[in-house]
């Protein structure tokens, strides 16, 4: 199964249980592997547990907000408006934009630091270098709450412990002048950033999204940004937080918390850990050993093996896609999901609402209900879980994705598949009504006789205490606009959310008197890890044959592959098609006019699209930008599929291309 951060929590939970608990098969992964996986590995290797410690409330009180390679004015406009609204009220907020191109977010920033691709690694190390060299790191915070780590050999996610002296020595080369050579950012600006972090009176929030995550060193740069917050003590109080932003509504709740990654189990579990498998088998009432201890294939590997003939090692025969469009969104489509080269011996099932590039190559299409046509729950990137009830009925034979999974499971149960039975011989999704009778939820006409979401969520809640991700009962989410976990119950019976995790003033699991307590520390001592990760050049750089950098991304009007937004006339009129943003100087040298059709080509493929000189944003000389929403222009025929060694997340943000006019 290949799913999505747009799965509802019950949809992802049902798919995960069906695969891992029913089929003993861990080959389930989400498209969040393409957007949030490096944030996951960064959190895990820093704090020992996934998800941000801060919340969106930090944006209401931060003195400084640093944008690490993201464009929230277009990508998170509602969230970004919280910062802009503060300025409209007369509050002072310093905004710093670190990126490879000017965007609409840049226009709101006092500082724009233009970096070379992958220069963020050097910048973060340069800040840490200055904090240590000048003695302006927060010694009391670090001595009490932090330890130091570096890469190990062979490479492992948690690396190896190092001393502060070793950390200091590793940072020594990263002087402002050396960082300027590596990153392109002026040495004076590196000093400016270090001065901000060295000031204990300021409250600093760092925000990032795809620029740091879609990165062959994504885990490393996540570690480094966490590290400068820890080193400087800008952590654990309102306004002081390193916070990743998700691009999908439930990439956190359904992927990271429910565990729909190829190695995951609900509540932050891992299939490789005996205790985690035992807990899942207990909660699911499964026979011992049902859950497979070997992780499945991550998204890139899954599609590579599906696209490869069986005789050549392509051992994935069937994929069921739900809530996503990989034939447009996977990188290097020629290698991974080439519609023109699908093996006729392979079988592709797609559940979707509208026709897409993926439904066009599917062997079986299952019509799905949209979010307003079904019950659901999402979990967002500030640990907030929210619930809703369906507002309208789905048209025709469109059905909830949860029901589709349950119906297939029931059919397998009816055919005698042993995995669809628990240790008592009952169907693994057995659900009873108010009178204790089994509800035939596998029949859609009876699916809403009971609240299946409530039934699945209450089962899922049992996993949430394992890593202090405590969830409230389902009905509490019905009564509120959402609650941020851990959610704990007071003596008076009320439920209380946690806005700032690991901080004694707000987190009920922090030991009294400790102030800050990283209670899932990888070193089991309550300490977070400050990492040294070296600067590493990108896997592909421009040369004489392919002299331009290409970055891909989104635009305000369109969501992901445009499946929904492309059908809204106003949005299509505002942004009718993809384009290549090209610097005016480069265009003049190449004889390219604004609006002229050009070809953008890499070593993997080529696309033709109109040129937009400078565009709404502005790329510097030598840089191109193309949005990926337009299915008529599959820019991912051009992009790399190289990925981070720990998160397995591919890099869509930098590859080498050439551009030329198309002869008329």
């Amino acid at each position: 199964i290949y799913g999505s951060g747009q799965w509802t929590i019950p949809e992802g939970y049902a798919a995960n249980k069906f695969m891992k608990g029913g089929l003993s098969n861990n080959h389930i992964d989400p498209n969040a592997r393409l957007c949030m996986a490096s944030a996951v590995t960064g959190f895990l290797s820093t704090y020992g547990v996934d998800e941000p410690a801060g919340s969106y409330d930090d944006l209401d009180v931060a003195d400084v907000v640093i944008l690490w390679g993201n464009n929230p004015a277009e990508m998170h406009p509602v969230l970004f408006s919280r910062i802009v609204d503060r300025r409209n009220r007369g509050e002072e907020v310093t905004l710093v934009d670190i990126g490879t191109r000017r965007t609409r977010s840049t226009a709101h920033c006092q500082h724009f630091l233009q970096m070379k691709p992958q220069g963020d690694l050097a910048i973060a190390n340069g800040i840490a270098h200055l904090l240590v060299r000048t003695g302006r790191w927060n010694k009391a915070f670090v001595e009490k709450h932090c330890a130091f780590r570096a890469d190990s050999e062979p490479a492992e996610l948690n690396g190896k412990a190092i001393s502060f002296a070793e950390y200091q020595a590793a940072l020594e080369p990263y002087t402002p002048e050396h960082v300027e050579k590596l990153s392109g950012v002026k040495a004076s600006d590196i000093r400016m950033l270090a001065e901000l972090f060295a000031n204990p009176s300021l409250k600093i929030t760092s925000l990032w999204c795809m620029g740091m995550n879609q990165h062959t060193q994504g885990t490393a740069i996540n570690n480094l940004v966490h590290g400068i917050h820890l080193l400087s003590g800008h952590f654990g109080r309102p306004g002081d937080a390193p916070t990743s932003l998700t691009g999908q509504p439930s990439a956190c709740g359904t992927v990271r918390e429910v565990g729909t990654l190829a190695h995951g189990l609900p509540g932050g579990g891992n299939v490789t850990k005996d205790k985690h498998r035992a807990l899942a088998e207990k909660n699911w009432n499964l026979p011992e050993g049902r859950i497979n201890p070997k992780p499945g294939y991550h998204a890139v590997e899954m599609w590579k093996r599906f696209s490869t003939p069986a005789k050549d090692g392509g051992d994935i025969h069937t994929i069921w896609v739900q809530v996503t469009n990989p034939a447009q969104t996977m990188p290097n489509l020629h290698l991974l999901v080439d519609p023109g080269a699908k093996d006729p011996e392979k079988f592709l099932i797609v559940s979707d609402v509208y026709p897409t590039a993926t439904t066009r190559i599917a062997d079986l299409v299952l019509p799905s209900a949209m979010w307003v046509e079904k019950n659901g729950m999402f979990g967002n990137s500030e640990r907030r879980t929210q619930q809703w009830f369906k507002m309208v009925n789905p048209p025709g034979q469109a059905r909830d994705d949860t029901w589709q999974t349950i119906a297939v499971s029931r059919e397998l149960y009816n055919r005698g598949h042993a995995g669809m039975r628990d240790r008592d011989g009952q169907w693994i999704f057995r659900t009873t009504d108010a009178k204790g009778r089994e509800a035939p939820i596998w029949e859609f006409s009876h699916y809403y006789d009971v609240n299946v979401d409530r039934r699945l969520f209450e089962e899922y809640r049992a996993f949430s205490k394992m890593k202090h991700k405590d969830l409230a009962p389902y009905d509490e989410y019905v009564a509120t606009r959402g609650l941020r976990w851990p959610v704990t119950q007071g003596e008076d019976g009320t439920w209380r959310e946690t806005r700032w995790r690991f901080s004694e003033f707000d987190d009920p699991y922090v030991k009294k008197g400790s102030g800050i307590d990283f209670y899932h520390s990888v070193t089991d001592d309550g300490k977070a890890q400050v990492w040294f990760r070296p600067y590493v050049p990108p896997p592909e750089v421009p040369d004489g044959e392919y002299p331009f950098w290409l970055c891909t991304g989104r635009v305000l009007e369109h969501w992901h592959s445009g499946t929904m937004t492309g059908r809204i006339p106003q949005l299509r009129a505002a942004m009718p098609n993809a384009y290549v943003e090209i610097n005016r100087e480069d265009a003049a040298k190449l004889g390219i006019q604004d609006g002229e059709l050009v070809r953008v080509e890499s070593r993997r493929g080529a696309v033709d699209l109109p040129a937009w000189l400078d565009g709404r944003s502005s790329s510097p000389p030598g840089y191109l930008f193309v949005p990926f929403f337009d299915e008529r222009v599959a820019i991912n025929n051009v992009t790399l599929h190289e990925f981070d060694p720990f998160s397995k997340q591919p890099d869509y943000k930098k590859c080498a291309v050439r551009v030329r006019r198309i002869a008329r």
Side-chain angles (χ1 to χ4, degrees):
I1 289 184
Y2 183 62
S4 169
Q6 294 163 85
W7 259 332
T8 68
I9 289 172
E11 284 169 352
Y13 181 76
N16 214 24
K17 183 178 181 179
F18 170 66
M19 290 291 281
K20 291 169 182 166
L23 298 181
S24 300
N25 179 342
N26 295 327
H27 298 309
I28 174 173
D29 216 44
N31 66 6
R33 177 73 71 178
L34 313 178
C35 67
M36 290 309 301
S38 295
V40 173
T41 49
F43 281 116
L44 285 170
S45 52
T46 300
Y47 310 108
V49 67
D50 184 24
E51 308 284 346
S55 68
Y56 295 164
D57 293 9
D58 291 314
L59 301 179
D60 301 331
V61 294
D63 301 304
V64 179
V65 178
I66 301 176
L67 311 178
W68 291 85
N70 67 326
N71 176 18
E74 290 196 84
M75 305 305 104
H76 294 85
V78 176
L79 199 57
F80 192 66
S81 70
R82 290 175 71 156
I83 303 171
V84 176
D85 287 348
R86 288 181 61 196
R87 284 185 169 168
N88 292 339
R89 294 192 298 267
E91 298 179 38
E92 287 192 18
V93 189
T94 298
L95 278 166
V96 182
D97 183 16
I98 305 172
T100 58
R101 55 191 278 270
R102 290 180 177 271
T103 67
R104 285 190 167 183
S105 297
T106 313
H108 296 273
C109 296
Q110 289 96 328
H111 303 279
F112 172 59
L113 280 53
Q114 185 178 301
M115 70 171 187
K116 298 175 184 177
Q118 218 131 306
D120 46 8
L121 295 161
I123 294 166
N125 279 328
I127 296 168
H129 166 92
L130 286 171
L131 291 173
V132 171
R133 194 187 75 184
T134 61
R136 297 177 71 189
W137 49 289
N138 192 321
K139 300 178 183 64
F141 185 94
V142 170
E143 287 172 8
K144 186 175 181 182
H145 302 301
C146 301
F148 294 89
R149 279 190 117 58
D151 289 322
S152 60
E153 188 61 47
E156 295 179 352
L157 177 61
N158 287 329
K160 65 179 181 180
I162 59 172
S163 66
F164 175 75
E166 289 173 304
Y167 175 74
Q168 184 177 21
L171 287 173
E172 195 59 37
Y174 291 92
T175 63
E177 290 70 27
H178 183 56
V179 169
E180 180 174 347
K181 292 177 184 177
L182 296 176
S183 70
V185 173
K186 293 178 181 178
S188 59
D189 285 329
I190 302 301
R191 292 188 175 93
M192 179 270 294
L193 286 172
E195 282 296 314
L196 292 175
F197 278 99
N199 187 343
S201 66
L202 293 175
K203 296 185 288 293
I204 302 176
T205 292
S206 287
L207 299 178
W208 67 91
C209 197
M210 297 304 96
M212 269 175 48
N213 294 337
Q214 290 177 338
H215 198 315
T216 51
Q217 295 295 314
T219 303
I221 184 57
N222 272 263
N223 286 148
L224 292 178
V225 172
H226 290 302
I228 56 178
H229 274 266
L230 294 166
L231 189 67
S232 62
H234 285 287
F235 186 96
R237 61 176 180 168
D240 268 327
T243 300
S244 69
L245 301 175
T246 55
Q248 299 184 91
S250 202
C252 290
T254 308
V255 173
R256 297 156 72 175
E257 294 162 35
V258 170
T260 54
L261 293 154
H263 65 277
L265 286 168
N270 192 311
V271 298
T272 65
K273 296 185 181 295
D274 295 345
K275 288 183 178 179
H276 296 178
R277 293 196 310 278
L279 176 65
E281 288 165 354
K282 174 177 175 285
N283 289 346
W284 288 340
N285 194 34
L286 301 177
E288 184 179 346
R290 173 73 65 81
I291 296 174
N292 192 327
K294 183 180 179 181
Y297 297 137
H298 60 86
V300 172
E301 187 67 18
M302 177 191 292
W303 284 100
K304 184 177 179 181
R305 287 174 180 265
F306 182 73
S307 297
T308 302
K311 63 182 177 60
D312 298 325
D315 57 354
I316 294 290
H317 174 275
T318 301
I319 294 183
W320 184 358
V321 174
Q322 294 184 345
V323 209
T324 187
N325 185 14
Q328 186 176 338
T329 59
M330 289 297 292
N332 193 357
L333 289 171
H334 290 296
L335 177 69
L336 300 177
V337 199
D338 188 342
K342 181 177 171 290
D343 188 335
E345 297 300 314
K346 303 296 180 86
F347 197 77
L348 181 62
I349 308 162
V350 179
S351 298
D352 215 324
V353 177
Y354 298 115
T356 67
T358 312
T359 64
R360 281 198 287 276
I361 61 171
D363 299 286
L364 174 64
V365 178
L366 303 175
S368 291
M370 288 189 72
W371 70 276
V372 292
E373 299 164 354
K374 60 191 177 186
N375 293 345
M377 304 183 80
F378 281 154
N380 76 2
S381 56
E382 63 166 353
R383 296 172 280 105
R384 183 189 295 274
T385 307
Q386 292 178 268
Q387 180 275 347
W388 74 91
F389 291 116
K390 75 172 185 175
M391 293 155 239
V392 294
N393 290 323
Q397 292 185 313
R399 300 288 184 261
D400 306 36
D401 290 74
T402 307
W403 177 81
Q404 293 179 31
T405 302
I406 285 172
V408 171
S409 170
R410 182 67 186 196
E411 181 62 19
L412 289 172
Y413 171 85
N414 291 341
R415 295 184 184 199
H417 192 293
M420 295 304 120
R421 298 176 185 271
D422 65 18
R423 94 176 85 189
D424 298 324
Q426 301 281 359
W427 179 41
I428 60 172
F429 288 107
R430 186 175 188 272
T431 299
T432 56
D433 61 20
K435 295 182 179 179
R437 300 170 301 192
E438 182 170 16
I441 59 173
W442 58 90
E443 298 174 7
F444 193 69
S445 59
H446 291 287
Y447 182 66
Y448 279 92
D449 288 355
V450 295
N451 188 333
V452 176
D453 272 18
R454 178 190 280 113
R455 177 257 186 267
L456 293 174
F457 185 78
E458 290 299 337
E459 181 180 285
Y460 163 52
R461 274 188 70 213
F463 290 90
S464 67
K465 288 183 179 290
M466 178 176 66
K467 288 200 171 182
H468 303 87
K469 301 186 178 191
D470 307 38
L471 297 167
Y474 178 87
D475 289 339
E476 290 299 315
Y477 297 102
V478 174
T480 68
R481 293 188 64 191
L483 295 167
R484 288 166 283 197
W485 57 259
V487 186
T488 52
Q489 190 172 27
E491 292 181 3
D492 61 355
T494 59
W495 294 85
R496 179 190 178 278
E497 67 174 357
T498 301
R499 293 187 293 170
W500 287 281
R501 201 175 184 201
F502 307 132
S503 298
E504 184 179 354
F505 75 90
D506 198 47
D507 188 336
Y509 286 110
V510 171
K511 293 185 189 119
K512 298 302 178 190
S514 60
I516 299 286
D517 181 10
F518 298 106
Y519 43 77
H520 284 290
S521 168
V522 300
T523 45
D524 296 321
D525 56 4
K527 293 187 175 184
Q529 310 303 305
V530 176
W531 279 82
F532 171 73
R533 299 277 201 184
Y535 169 80
V536 176
E540 182 177 83
V541 297
D543 56 20
E545 190 175 3
Y546 296 93
F548 286 89
W549 285 108
L550 171 68
C551 176
T552 67
R554 294 181 295 208
V555 291
L556 175 66
E557 294 83 356
H558 291 289
W559 168 255
H560 282 193
S561 60
T563 304
M564 294 183 290
T565 54
R567 289 176 163 79
I568 299 173
Q570 295 90 338
L571 296 179
R572 177 61 87 181
M575 182 60 68
N577 54 263
Y579 56 88
V580 55
E581 178 184 280
I582 183 170
N583 182 273
R584 199 169 288 277
E585 292 178 25
D586 290 329
K589 291 176 184 176
L590 296 168
I592 294 171
Q593 302 295 315
D594 197 27
E596 188 174 17
L597 199 66
V598 299
R599 177 161 295 168
V600 176
E601 184 176 13
S602 72
R603 291 175 173 84
R604 292 156 294 282
V607 295
D608 298 338
L609 65 176
W612 192 357
L613 306 193
D614 292 330
R616 67 168 54 162
S617 300
S618 178
S619 292
Y623 290 71
L624 308 175
F625 172 80
V626 177
F628 76 93
F629 72 86
D630 193 342
E631 66 180 4
R632 297 164 301 179
V633 181
I635 188 59
N636 284 323
N637 282 319
V638 175
T639 52
L640 276 173
H641 69 282
E642 300 291 333
F643 52 77
D644 177 276
F646 301 111
S647 69
K648 308 299 189 289
Q649 181 168 349
D651 191 333
Y652 293 83
K653 298 301 181 187
K654 43 193 167 305
C655 69
V657 299
R658 58 192 176 205
V659 60
R660 63 177 175 83
R661 299 173 63 202
I662 296 177
R664 297 286 184 176

